[in-house]
Amino acid sequence: MNDKLFETIQKGNIIVKHVNLSFSISDRNKKIIDEIWIEECKKRPNLFNGETLSFLSIKKENNNIIVSGQFTDYKNALVSRNKPDLGLNIIQIGVSGITLIEENNKKFILFSIRTDKVTDYPGYIELVPSGNIDKSVLLKDGTIDYVTKLKEEFFEETGVPTKYIKKIKSICLAYDCSNQVFDVGCSIELTVGKNEIIKTFSKVTEYKNPQFIQIDDLENFINKNKIRLVPTSLAILECFFDTKP
């Protein structure tokens, strides 16, 4: 795999915490952000300026990796990525899953193609699900319940009810060097088969053409499609196979 596309920051159990720090943007930069946002919305009318989690720090504590972040407007993160010369240094934290299906004593991994309705990487192949982290999963003690967010994304992006999720486990913190986004990578084990997923997939808008790749065929699939795979997916795949027993 090409490590210029991504970095594996840490492997293991990830805990995400919210830190409420003061965050100020100069009036000049606010004006620039608003101007750029207006232009981006003209090009991509589906853009939504919700609050998104941005990265602050990372540390090891016992057997856990503690990631700290704070919330900011999505438009700030978007402009920070596109215009680094502004010095905003806002890096989003999202969550992504590698979905595992077992059928007839064979294990498969779910991939799909991102549609032209998405903001980033339209037409690319990606592990499903994947999404931003917002305040809806901020707990009273400051913990970010990204597992609940991943379940929400799973249902939204596959149409499969979350009751069919058997287990979710965090495996790494990955970084997309191209898109400048962190992702908490998790494995997702299901209790349903491929046919059930295919039936519900037609209802989703962010993905199309689900693909079930048998684990034995995965290396060939990656080599064949590497330039079309989202970098975060490559990182999570690498971590998954490094950490599985």
Side-chain angles (χ1 to χ4, degrees):
M1 294 180 186
N2 185 352
D3 57 9
K4 292 182 180 179
L5 295 174
F6 64 85
E7 291 181 44
T8 302
I9 307 301
Q10 290 289 350
K11 298 176 184 178
N13 185 49
I14 309 293
I15 296 173
V16 183
K17 291 281 190 178
H18 173 251
V19 179
N20 193 17
L21 296 179
S22 59
F23 181 76
S24 61
I25 298 176
S26 69
D27 290 339
R28 172 184 174 273
N29 281 347
K30 286 179 181 177
K31 183 178 179 181
I32 293 172
I33 290 169
D34 287 339
E35 289 172 351
I36 293 174
W37 179 252
I38 289 170
E39 292 304 313
E40 289 295 323
C41 288
K42 289 177 182 177
K43 293 185 288 185
R44 295 176 286 180
N46 59 316
L47 281 178
F48 172 69
N49 185 34
E51 287 190 293
T52 187
L53 191 65
S54 64
F55 177 83
L56 289 174
S57 64
I58 183 172
K59 67 177 180 179
K60 284 188 177 181
E61 192 174 284
N62 299 322
N63 295 320
N64 299 315
I65 297 103
I66 312 296
V67 180
S68 297
Q70 64 180 343
F71 288 99
T72 187
D73 286 351
Y74 174 72
K75 66 179 181 180
N76 298 336
L78 177 69
V79 174
S80 177
R81 180 197 312 164
N82 294 340
K83 286 190 67 66
D85 55 299
L86 292 180
L88 297 173
N89 297 319
I90 299 170
I91 303 175
Q92 281 179 268
I93 305 175
V95 62
S96 295
I98 175 169
T99 296
L100 308 167
I101 301 103
E102 189 165 353
E103 194 169 273
N104 299 323
N105 296 318
K106 295 179 180 179
K107 291 185 178 180
F108 300 85
I109 293 174
L110 173 62
F111 292 86
S112 192
I113 298 174
R114 294 172 63 83
T115 68
D116 57 6
K117 295 182 182 297
V118 299
T119 303
D120 302 314
Y121 294 116
Y124 274 64
I125 300 169
E126 186 175 35
L127 292 170
V128 182
S130 179
N132 294 328
I133 295 174
D134 56 39
K135 274 189 175 178
S136 68
V137 290
L138 172 61
L139 304 182
K140 290 182 178 180
D141 67 353
T143 301
I144 302 293
D145 183 8
Y146 62 81
V147 170
T148 291
K149 187 62 182 177
L150 190 61
K151 289 179 179 179
E152 293 173 1
E153 294 292 335
F154 175 82
F155 175 66
E156 182 180 326
E157 295 174 2
T158 67
V160 177
T162 57
K163 66 181 180 180
Y164 295 114
I165 295 176
K166 179 181 177 182
K167 182 181 178 182
I168 293 180
K169 180 183 177 182
S170 64
I171 54 176
C172 68
L173 181 70
Y175 181 65
D176 178 342
C177 300
S178 174
N179 222 23
Q180 299 175 32
V181 174
F182 286 104
D183 260 301
V184 180
C186 302
S187 61
I188 304 173
E189 297 179 24
L190 300 183
T191 60
V192 292
K194 294 183 287 182
N195 287 338
E196 287 82 357
I197 295 174
I198 291 171
K199 287 177 186 176
T200 60
F201 220 88
S202 60
K203 303 174 186 177
V204 306
T205 59
E206 294 185 30
Y207 291 98
K208 61 181 180 180
N209 302 335
Q211 301 177 60
F212 303 91
I213 307 302
Q214 191 175 339
I215 285 181
D216 291 344
D217 299 329
L218 189 61
E219 186 175 354
N220 288 334
F221 176 80
I222 292 172
N223 289 335
K224 182 179 178 181
N225 296 285
K226 187 178 292 185
I227 62 171
R228 291 185 60 211
L229 279 161
V230 173
T232 299
S233 293
L234 288 169
I236 293 170
L237 286 163
E238 182 179 81
C239 290
F240 175 73
F241 288 103
D242 281 349
T243 56
K244 75 170 187 171

